[in-house]
Amino acid sequence: MAKYLLLKHYRGAPESVNHVPMEKWTQEEITAHIQYMNDFAARLEEAGEYVDSQALAPGGTFVRYDGEGRPPVTDGPFAETKDLIAGWMVIDVDSYERALALAGELSAAPGAGGRPIHEWLELRPFLGESPTVTE
């Protein structure tokens, strides 16, 4: 088994097919989107492939160490930045191909008008987990 991180970008990824910003969705469209993701996670949990997932608030702060005895340096919040991660999911699957298939399926979550978003998700293996790509 290999762990992968699926990053759901709200901004910063290539534009999705059904590109309507979430703030323009109806409450019913938001509810359907969240339900799709919850159902997806539940199915993966039953299969033993789900590890964890979380939605993220839009605001964040960059923090760095500034030397012994000094407080950390902060810069932010950055809700207006060009890149914004809306959430993530960690999966533990048998192969890179399975991770790709699941990312593709999650990409089809409904959006505006109930149509699939076909959004781009970033798929990243955990360090030390080398994906096996077969041709």
Side-chain angles (χ1 to χ4, degrees), residues 52-82:
D52 196 14
S53 62
Q54 288 292 319
L56 299 174
T61 302
F62 282 100
V63 179
R64 73 171 171 85
Y65 177 75
D66 198 38
E68 189 64 41
R70 300 178 69 173
V73 175
T74 63
D75 194 9
F78 289 107
E80 72 284 351
T81 62
K82 118 181 150 103

PDB file of all heavy atoms in Angstrom, residues 52-82:
ATOM      1  N   ASP A  52      -7.677  10.018   5.752  1.00  0.00           N
ATOM      2  CA  ASP A  52      -8.211  11.222   6.391  1.00  0.00           C
ATOM      3  C   ASP A  52      -8.505  12.260   5.316  1.00  0.00           C
ATOM      4  O   ASP A  52      -7.981  12.178   4.198  1.00  0.00           O
ATOM      5  CB  ASP A  52      -7.200  11.774   7.385  1.00  0.00           C
ATOM      6  CG  ASP A  52      -7.793  12.770   8.370  1.00  0.00           C
ATOM      7  OD1 ASP A  52      -9.036  12.847   8.473  1.00  0.00           O
ATOM      8  OD2 ASP A  52      -7.026  13.471   9.035  1.00  0.00           O
ATOM      9  N   SER A  53      -9.319  13.242   5.667  1.00  0.00           N
ATOM     10  CA  SER A  53      -9.563  14.376   4.777  1.00  0.00           C
ATOM     11  C   SER A  53     -10.077  15.544   5.589  1.00  0.00           C
ATOM     12  O   SER A  53     -10.632  15.356   6.674  1.00  0.00           O
ATOM     13  CB  SER A  53     -10.577  14.015   3.681  1.00  0.00           C
ATOM     14  OG  SER A  53     -11.827  13.682   4.242  1.00  0.00           O
ATOM     15  N   GLN A  54      -9.870  16.734   5.074  1.00  0.00           N
ATOM     16  CA  GLN A  54     -10.339  17.947   5.725  1.00  0.00           C
ATOM     17  C   GLN A  54     -10.559  19.039   4.691  1.00  0.00           C
ATOM     18  O   GLN A  54      -9.796  19.153   3.731  1.00  0.00           O
ATOM     19  CB  GLN A  54      -9.314  18.472   6.739  1.00  0.00           C
ATOM     20  CG  GLN A  54      -9.188  17.647   7.986  1.00  0.00           C
ATOM     21  CD  GLN A  54     -10.430  17.701   8.849  1.00  0.00           C
ATOM     22  OE1 GLN A  54     -11.039  18.741   9.021  1.00  0.00           O
ATOM     23  NE2 GLN A  54     -10.806  16.549   9.376  1.00  0.00           N
ATOM     24  N   ALA A  55     -11.579  19.835   4.918  1.00  0.00           N
ATOM     25  CA  ALA A  55     -11.736  21.085   4.178  1.00  0.00           C
ATOM     26  C   ALA A  55     -10.937  22.139   4.943  1.00  0.00           C
ATOM     27  O   ALA A  55     -10.764  22.035   6.162  1.00  0.00           O
ATOM     28  CB  ALA A  55     -13.210  21.476   4.114  1.00  0.00           C
ATOM     29  N   LEU A  56     -10.438  23.125   4.235  1.00  0.00           N
ATOM     30  CA  LEU A  56      -9.629  24.164   4.868  1.00  0.00           C
ATOM     31  C   LEU A  56     -10.297  25.525   4.730  1.00  0.00           C
ATOM     32  O   LEU A  56     -10.919  25.820   3.709  1.00  0.00           O
ATOM     33  CB  LEU A  56      -8.242  24.215   4.217  1.00  0.00           C
ATOM     34  CG  LEU A  56      -7.412  22.944   4.311  1.00  0.00           C
ATOM     35  CD1 LEU A  56      -6.140  23.086   3.493  1.00  0.00           C
ATOM     36  CD2 LEU A  56      -7.080  22.631   5.758  1.00  0.00           C
ATOM     37  N   ALA A  57     -10.142  26.349   5.759  1.00  0.00           N
ATOM     38  CA  ALA A  57     -10.626  27.730   5.705  1.00  0.00           C
ATOM     39  C   ALA A  57      -9.766  28.499   4.708  1.00  0.00           C
ATOM     40  O   ALA A  57      -8.599  28.160   4.487  1.00  0.00           O
ATOM     41  CB  ALA A  57     -10.544  28.361   7.090  1.00  0.00           C
ATOM     42  N   PRO A  58     -10.322  29.526   4.088  1.00  0.00           N
ATOM     43  CA  PRO A  58      -9.563  30.249   3.058  1.00  0.00           C
ATOM     44  C   PRO A  58      -8.369  31.030   3.585  1.00  0.00           C
ATOM     45  O   PRO A  58      -7.379  31.182   2.899  1.00  0.00           O
ATOM     46  CB  PRO A  58     -10.589  31.178   2.421  1.00  0.00           C
ATOM     47  CG  PRO A  58     -11.728  31.234   3.350  1.00  0.00           C
ATOM     48  CD  PRO A  58     -11.698  30.003   4.189  1.00  0.00           C
ATOM     49  N   GLY A  59      -8.408  31.537   4.817  1.00  0.00           N
ATOM     50  CA  GLY A  59      -7.308  32.355   5.324  1.00  0.00           C
ATOM     51  C   GLY A  59      -6.195  31.514   5.904  1.00  0.00           C
ATOM     52  O   GLY A  59      -6.432  30.450   6.468  1.00  0.00           O
ATOM     53  N   GLY A  60      -4.980  31.963   5.754  1.00  0.00           N
ATOM     54  CA  GLY A  60      -3.821  31.280   6.307  1.00  0.00           C
ATOM     55  C   GLY A  60      -2.706  32.269   6.547  1.00  0.00           C
ATOM     56  O   GLY A  60      -2.761  33.409   6.086  1.00  0.00           O
ATOM     57  N   THR A  61      -1.705  31.867   7.277  1.00  0.00           N
ATOM     58  CA  THR A  61      -0.582  32.734   7.610  1.00  0.00           C
ATOM     59  C   THR A  61       0.717  32.001   7.339  1.00  0.00           C
ATOM     60  O   THR A  61       0.872  30.844   7.730  1.00  0.00           O
ATOM     61  CB  THR A  61      -0.639  33.127   9.109  1.00  0.00           C
ATOM     62  OG1 THR A  61      -1.879  33.763   9.377  1.00  0.00           O
ATOM     63  CG2 THR A  61       0.493  34.064   9.487  1.00  0.00           C
ATOM     64  N   PHE A  62       1.652  32.661   6.679  1.00  0.00           N
ATOM     65  CA  PHE A  62       2.999  32.120   6.526  1.00  0.00           C
ATOM     66  C   PHE A  62       3.768  32.428   7.804  1.00  0.00           C
ATOM     67  O   PHE A  62       3.673  33.533   8.342  1.00  0.00           O
ATOM     68  CB  PHE A  62       3.719  32.745   5.322  1.00  0.00           C
ATOM     69  CG  PHE A  62       3.293  32.181   4.006  1.00  0.00           C
ATOM     70  CD1 PHE A  62       2.384  32.852   3.217  1.00  0.00           C
ATOM     71  CD2 PHE A  62       3.796  30.973   3.561  1.00  0.00           C
ATOM     72  CE1 PHE A  62       1.987  32.328   2.002  1.00  0.00           C
ATOM     73  CE2 PHE A  62       3.404  30.441   2.359  1.00  0.00           C
ATOM     74  CZ  PHE A  62       2.501  31.122   1.576  1.00  0.00           C
ATOM     75  N   VAL A  63       4.521  31.452   8.304  1.00  0.00           N
ATOM     76  CA  VAL A  63       5.276  31.604   9.543  1.00  0.00           C
ATOM     77  C   VAL A  63       6.679  31.063   9.309  1.00  0.00           C
ATOM     78  O   VAL A  63       6.848  30.045   8.650  1.00  0.00           O
ATOM     79  CB  VAL A  63       4.615  30.795  10.700  1.00  0.00           C
ATOM     80  CG1 VAL A  63       5.406  30.941  11.984  1.00  0.00           C
ATOM     81  CG2 VAL A  63       3.173  31.204  10.895  1.00  0.00           C
ATOM     82  N   ARG A  64       7.686  31.754   9.865  1.00  0.00           N
ATOM     83  CA  ARG A  64       9.045  31.230   9.793  1.00  0.00           C
ATOM     84  C   ARG A  64       9.788  31.553  11.081  1.00  0.00           C
ATOM     85  O   ARG A  64       9.474  32.500  11.785  1.00  0.00           O
ATOM     86  CB  ARG A  64       9.796  31.767   8.583  1.00  0.00           C
ATOM     87  CG  ARG A  64      10.222  33.195   8.679  1.00  0.00           C
ATOM     88  CD  ARG A  64      11.155  33.584   7.532  1.00  0.00           C
ATOM     89  NE  ARG A  64      11.395  35.006   7.514  1.00  0.00           N
ATOM     90  CZ  ARG A  64      12.332  35.617   8.243  1.00  0.00           C
ATOM     91  NH1 ARG A  64      13.113  34.921   9.036  1.00  0.00           N
ATOM     92  NH2 ARG A  64      12.478  36.925   8.172  1.00  0.00           N
ATOM     93  N   TYR A  65      10.766  30.739  11.371  1.00  0.00           N
ATOM     94  CA  TYR A  65      11.654  30.919  12.523  1.00  0.00           C
ATOM     95  C   TYR A  65      12.488  32.164  12.288  1.00  0.00           C
ATOM     96  O   TYR A  65      12.984  32.403  11.177  1.00  0.00           O
ATOM     97  CB  TYR A  65      12.530  29.670  12.633  1.00  0.00           C
ATOM     98  CG  TYR A  65      13.565  29.705  13.728  1.00  0.00           C
ATOM     99  CD1 TYR A  65      13.192  29.534  15.056  1.00  0.00           C
ATOM    100  CD2 TYR A  65      14.903  29.869  13.426  1.00  0.00           C
ATOM    101  CE1 TYR A  65      14.138  29.534  16.065  1.00  0.00           C
ATOM    102  CE2 TYR A  65      15.862  29.878  14.427  1.00  0.00           C
ATOM    103  CZ  TYR A  65      15.472  29.714  15.742  1.00  0.00           C
ATOM    104  OH  TYR A  65      16.418  29.709  16.741  1.00  0.00           O
ATOM    105  N   ASP A  66      12.694  32.983  13.351  1.00  0.00           N
ATOM    106  CA  ASP A  66      13.468  34.212  13.187  1.00  0.00           C
ATOM    107  C   ASP A  66      14.666  34.276  14.120  1.00  0.00           C
ATOM    108  O   ASP A  66      15.222  35.336  14.337  1.00  0.00           O
ATOM    109  CB  ASP A  66      12.569  35.434  13.393  1.00  0.00           C
ATOM    110  CG  ASP A  66      13.183  36.707  12.824  1.00  0.00           C
ATOM    111  OD1 ASP A  66      13.827  36.638  11.745  1.00  0.00           O
ATOM    112  OD2 ASP A  66      13.041  37.774  13.462  1.00  0.00           O
ATOM    113  N   GLY A  67      15.065  33.156  14.675  1.00  0.00           N
ATOM    114  CA  GLY A  67      16.256  33.148  15.521  1.00  0.00           C
ATOM    115  C   GLY A  67      15.932  32.848  16.972  1.00  0.00           C
ATOM    116  O   GLY A  67      14.809  33.042  17.428  1.00  0.00           O
ATOM    117  N   GLU A  68      16.952  32.373  17.672  1.00  0.00           N
ATOM    118  CA  GLU A  68      16.814  31.989  19.078  1.00  0.00           C
ATOM    119  C   GLU A  68      16.299  33.152  19.912  1.00  0.00           C
ATOM    120  O   GLU A  68      16.826  34.265  19.833  1.00  0.00           O
ATOM    121  CB  GLU A  68      18.171  31.512  19.610  1.00  0.00           C
ATOM    122  CG  GLU A  68      18.106  30.893  20.972  1.00  0.00           C
ATOM    123  CD  GLU A  68      17.281  29.621  21.003  1.00  0.00           C
ATOM    124  OE1 GLU A  68      17.390  28.808  20.061  1.00  0.00           O
ATOM    125  OE2 GLU A  68      16.520  29.432  21.961  1.00  0.00           O
ATOM    126  N   GLY A  69      15.245  32.885  20.687  1.00  0.00           N
ATOM    127  CA  GLY A  69      14.699  33.882  21.593  1.00  0.00           C
ATOM    128  C   GLY A  69      13.842  34.946  20.931  1.00  0.00           C
ATOM    129  O   GLY A  69      13.390  35.868  21.597  1.00  0.00           O
ATOM    130  N   ARG A  70      13.640  34.826  19.649  1.00  0.00           N
ATOM    131  CA  ARG A  70      12.818  35.817  18.940  1.00  0.00           C
ATOM    132  C   ARG A  70      11.504  35.170  18.548  1.00  0.00           C
ATOM    133  O   ARG A  70      11.458  33.976  18.266  1.00  0.00           O
ATOM    134  CB  ARG A  70      13.557  36.313  17.701  1.00  0.00           C
ATOM    135  CG  ARG A  70      14.890  36.985  18.072  1.00  0.00           C
ATOM    136  CD  ARG A  70      15.627  37.429  16.867  1.00  0.00           C
ATOM    137  NE  ARG A  70      14.889  38.539  16.257  1.00  0.00           N
ATOM    138  CZ  ARG A  70      15.336  39.241  15.246  1.00  0.00           C
ATOM    139  NH1 ARG A  70      16.487  38.952  14.721  1.00  0.00           N
ATOM    140  NH2 ARG A  70      14.634  40.227  14.745  1.00  0.00           N
ATOM    141  N   PRO A  71      10.428  35.964  18.494  1.00  0.00           N
ATOM    142  CA  PRO A  71       9.146  35.368  18.086  1.00  0.00           C
ATOM    143  C   PRO A  71       9.175  35.020  16.601  1.00  0.00           C
ATOM    144  O   PRO A  71       9.939  35.608  15.825  1.00  0.00           O
ATOM    145  CB  PRO A  71       8.134  36.482  18.369  1.00  0.00           C
ATOM    146  CG  PRO A  71       8.923  37.739  18.344  1.00  0.00           C
ATOM    147  CD  PRO A  71      10.318  37.375  18.804  1.00  0.00           C
ATOM    148  N   PRO A  72       8.353  34.063  16.204  1.00  0.00           N
ATOM    149  CA  PRO A  72       8.289  33.730  14.777  1.00  0.00           C
ATOM    150  C   PRO A  72       7.836  34.936  13.954  1.00  0.00           C
ATOM    151  O   PRO A  72       7.096  35.784  14.437  1.00  0.00           O
ATOM    152  CB  PRO A  72       7.241  32.621  14.702  1.00  0.00           C
ATOM    153  CG  PRO A  72       6.937  32.226  16.092  1.00  0.00           C
ATOM    154  CD  PRO A  72       7.429  33.297  16.998  1.00  0.00           C
ATOM    155  N   VAL A  73       8.307  34.992  12.744  1.00  0.00           N
ATOM    156  CA  VAL A  73       7.893  36.038  11.818  1.00  0.00           C
ATOM    157  C   VAL A  73       6.657  35.534  11.089  1.00  0.00           C
ATOM    158  O   VAL A  73       6.612  34.377  10.661  1.00  0.00           O
ATOM    159  CB  VAL A  73       9.020  36.350  10.795  1.00  0.00           C
ATOM    160  CG1 VAL A  73       8.546  37.356   9.763  1.00  0.00           C
ATOM    161  CG2 VAL A  73      10.260  36.846  11.519  1.00  0.00           C
ATOM    162  N   THR A  74       5.654  36.385  10.964  1.00  0.00           N
ATOM    163  CA  THR A  74       4.443  36.002  10.245  1.00  0.00           C
ATOM    164  C   THR A  74       4.182  36.973   9.117  1.00  0.00           C
ATOM    165  O   THR A  74       4.603  38.124   9.147  1.00  0.00           O
ATOM    166  CB  THR A  74       3.218  35.967  11.176  1.00  0.00           C
ATOM    167  OG1 THR A  74       2.989  37.280  11.680  1.00  0.00           O
ATOM    168  CG2 THR A  74       3.414  34.989  12.312  1.00  0.00           C
ATOM    169  N   ASP A  75       3.502  36.479   8.121  1.00  0.00           N
ATOM    170  CA  ASP A  75       3.090  37.285   6.990  1.00  0.00           C
ATOM    171  C   ASP A  75       1.747  36.727   6.545  1.00  0.00           C
ATOM    172  O   ASP A  75       1.626  35.550   6.220  1.00  0.00           O
ATOM    173  CB  ASP A  75       4.119  37.187   5.866  1.00  0.00           C
ATOM    174  CG  ASP A  75       3.927  38.253   4.805  1.00  0.00           C
ATOM    175  OD1 ASP A  75       3.113  39.161   5.010  1.00  0.00           O
ATOM    176  OD2 ASP A  75       4.598  38.161   3.768  1.00  0.00           O
ATOM    177  N   GLY A  76       0.725  37.526   6.514  1.00  0.00           N
ATOM    178  CA  GLY A  76      -0.587  37.019   6.117  1.00  0.00           C
ATOM    179  C   GLY A  76      -1.647  37.629   6.990  1.00  0.00           C
ATOM    180  O   GLY A  76      -1.372  38.505   7.774  1.00  0.00           O
ATOM    181  N   PRO A  77      -2.859  37.218   6.900  1.00  0.00           N
ATOM    182  CA  PRO A  77      -3.380  36.076   6.135  1.00  0.00           C
ATOM    183  C   PRO A  77      -3.442  36.352   4.639  1.00  0.00           C
ATOM    184  O   PRO A  77      -3.394  37.501   4.220  1.00  0.00           O
ATOM    185  CB  PRO A  77      -4.775  35.867   6.710  1.00  0.00           C
ATOM    186  CG  PRO A  77      -5.180  37.218   7.167  1.00  0.00           C
ATOM    187  CD  PRO A  77      -3.917  37.902   7.622  1.00  0.00           C
ATOM    188  N   PHE A  78      -3.552  35.264   3.875  1.00  0.00           N
ATOM    189  CA  PHE A  78      -3.490  35.353   2.431  1.00  0.00           C
ATOM    190  C   PHE A  78      -4.682  34.722   1.722  1.00  0.00           C
ATOM    191  O   PHE A  78      -4.527  33.953   0.801  1.00  0.00           O
ATOM    192  CB  PHE A  78      -2.209  34.677   1.922  1.00  0.00           C
ATOM    193  CG  PHE A  78      -0.979  35.463   2.242  1.00  0.00           C
ATOM    194  CD1 PHE A  78      -0.108  35.029   3.222  1.00  0.00           C
ATOM    195  CD2 PHE A  78      -0.708  36.646   1.594  1.00  0.00           C
ATOM    196  CE1 PHE A  78       1.025  35.745   3.527  1.00  0.00           C
ATOM    197  CE2 PHE A  78       0.426  37.376   1.895  1.00  0.00           C
ATOM    198  CZ  PHE A  78       1.295  36.925   2.862  1.00  0.00           C
ATOM    199  N   ALA A  79      -5.876  35.033   2.123  1.00  0.00           N
ATOM    200  CA  ALA A  79      -7.051  34.476   1.444  1.00  0.00           C
ATOM    201  C   ALA A  79      -7.137  34.959   0.002  1.00  0.00           C
ATOM    202  O   ALA A  79      -7.760  34.327  -0.839  1.00  0.00           O
ATOM    203  CB  ALA A  79      -8.314  34.842   2.192  1.00  0.00           C
ATOM    204  N   GLU A  80      -6.498  36.076  -0.297  1.00  0.00           N
ATOM    205  CA  GLU A  80      -6.586  36.644  -1.643  1.00  0.00           C
ATOM    206  C   GLU A  80      -5.483  36.172  -2.585  1.00  0.00           C
ATOM    207  O   GLU A  80      -5.409  36.602  -3.725  1.00  0.00           O
ATOM    208  CB  GLU A  80      -6.549  38.177  -1.552  1.00  0.00           C
ATOM    209  CG  GLU A  80      -5.185  38.759  -1.187  1.00  0.00           C
ATOM    210  CD  GLU A  80      -4.786  38.628   0.277  1.00  0.00           C
ATOM    211  OE1 GLU A  80      -5.605  38.226   1.109  1.00  0.00           O
ATOM    212  OE2 GLU A  80      -3.620  38.932   0.593  1.00  0.00           O
ATOM    213  N   THR A  81      -4.617  35.287  -2.147  1.00  0.00           N
ATOM    214  CA  THR A  81      -3.518  34.846  -2.994  1.00  0.00           C
ATOM    215  C   THR A  81      -4.018  34.107  -4.222  1.00  0.00           C
ATOM    216  O   THR A  81      -5.135  33.618  -4.261  1.00  0.00           O
ATOM    217  CB  THR A  81      -2.554  33.912  -2.227  1.00  0.00           C
ATOM    218  OG1 THR A  81      -3.262  32.769  -1.827  1.00  0.00           O
ATOM    219  CG2 THR A  81      -1.921  34.603  -1.057  1.00  0.00           C
ATOM    220  N   LYS A  82      -3.153  34.007  -5.206  1.00  0.00           N
ATOM    221  CA  LYS A  82      -3.531  33.321  -6.441  1.00  0.00           C
ATOM    222  C   LYS A  82      -3.730  31.826  -6.220  1.00  0.00           C
ATOM    223  O   LYS A  82      -4.534  31.205  -6.873  1.00  0.00           O
ATOM    224  CB  LYS A  82      -2.495  33.651  -7.512  1.00  0.00           C
ATOM    225  CG  LYS A  82      -1.736  32.526  -8.068  1.00  0.00           C
ATOM    226  CD  LYS A  82      -0.745  32.997  -9.091  1.00  0.00           C
ATOM    227  CE  LYS A  82       0.406  32.114  -9.104  1.00  0.00           C
ATOM    228  NZ  LYS A  82       0.801  31.180  -9.863  1.00  0.00           N
TER     229      LYS A  82
END
